[in-house]
Amino acid sequence: MNESRPSPISSNGLVTYKVPGTWRWMLGVAAVPAIIQFVLMLFLPESPRWLYRKDEKAKAIAVLEQIYDSGRLEEEVELLALASMHEFQSNCTGSYLDIFRLKELRLAFFAGAGLQAFQQFTGINTVMYYSPTIVQMAGFTSNRLALLLSLVVAAMNASGTIVGIYLIDRCGRRRLALTSLAGVVLSLVILATAFILQSSSSLCGSLFSGSCQGVLGWFAVGGLALYIAFFSPGMGPVPWAVNSEIYPEAYRGMCGGMSATVNWISNLIVAQTFLSIVGWVGTGPTFLIIAGIAVLAFIFVALYVPETKGLSFEEVDLLWKERAWGSQGSHESLLGAAP
């Protein structure tokens, strides 16, 4: 008996299920958050550092006042003035070649891009895409009901990300990512086991009762819920937060953009290969492969991603110089260091 394949239902089905012109409604609904984001972006202030560099100090301080209390504000203004003076004295502009030429930049980009790649390769989108099929394994054969349950999973993902925003400055980026990945490995093993046993029970139906099939289905749903509960607070927001903190000012835009590109390329690879791999080796072994990748991601974070909680940009720069050149290199300018 063939394994079940992902249902063609998408989350847009909540609005468009059995509605004439469904694809048009899907496009229209997708435009709503884009419009909301556009309106909110109109109220987003410029970076204080950019304003300070443009000699708009009053505006820079006004932005900082929205972020920090009066006790911390003076310290942040002093750090901003020192950083701007250093950038003015160095009078340098970054280039893409520097990212690969300078060792400390290579290390920073390797950590940031690696986090973005592992965010996708640890299976978040495959699990989200496959969620209707997983809940159907629990005995919910109705497409509409399976869709609604998969939307509950999506809501858990959004809620977990909010929890991650609360935890990221309390637990630290590195610890949160490691805890998240440990839970991801466990939940993927549960999902893989459920699919493997479900496939075995389908092939040997006389040995398994219908109630056993239902138990396996709920086992899979539990693994799915556990996966979202662990992934969304950690590996959901952490790669983006870390990438906004680990690069020096002159390279922050370039490195951040390149890391985001790595994320979307990884997403493309996963989306294009997941079903093919499922067809070759089966759903259970596929989730075991993803669990193995999550183990590699855990090792990667433990070895190459530093903790940036509570550090200023200048302290992060020193951290990378120490990793690249040892304690002696921490006193050198990032741009003046030898390749």
Side-chain angles (χ1 to χ4, degrees), residues 49 243-245 247-257 313 317:
R49 292 198 174 208
N243 270 275
S244 69
E245 298 171 337
Y247 306 120
E249 177 74 15
Y251 300 91
R252 195 163 299 135
M254 286 184 286
C255 291
F313 287 127
D317 289 348

Side-chain angles (χ1 to χ4, degrees), residues 237-322:
V238 165
W240 299 104
V242 169
N243 270 275
S244 69
E245 298 171 337
I246 60 175
Y247 306 120
E249 177 74 15
Y251 300 91
R252 195 163 299 135
M254 286 184 286
C255 291
M258 291 169 63
S259 294
T261 302
V262 169
N263 182 288
W264 285 109
I265 291 174
S266 302
N267 184 17
L268 175 65
I269 293 171
V270 170
Q272 292 298 314
T273 61
F274 177 69
L275 289 179
S276 297
I277 296 174
V278 168
W280 293 333
V281 301
T283 308
T286 300
F287 279 122
L288 283 180
I289 292 171
I290 299 174
I293 295 174
V295 172
L296 295 178
F298 184 96
I299 297 171
F300 175 85
V301 172
L303 293 179
Y304 298 109
V305 178
E307 180 56 71
T308 56
K309 172 188 173 183
L311 299 181
S312 66
F313 287 127
E314 289 70 29
E315 290 170 329
V316 174
D317 289 348
L318 290 175
L319 185 153
W320 288 118
K321 285 194 276 286
E322 289 178 356

Side-chain angles (χ1 to χ4, degrees), residues 41 55 71 113 116 135 158 160 173 178 191 213 280 292 311 334:
M41 288 289 287
D55 204 26
Q116 295 283 30
V135 297
R173 290 88 166 112
L178 290 173
L191 271 172
Q213 287 275 8
W280 293 333
L311 299 181
L334 178 67

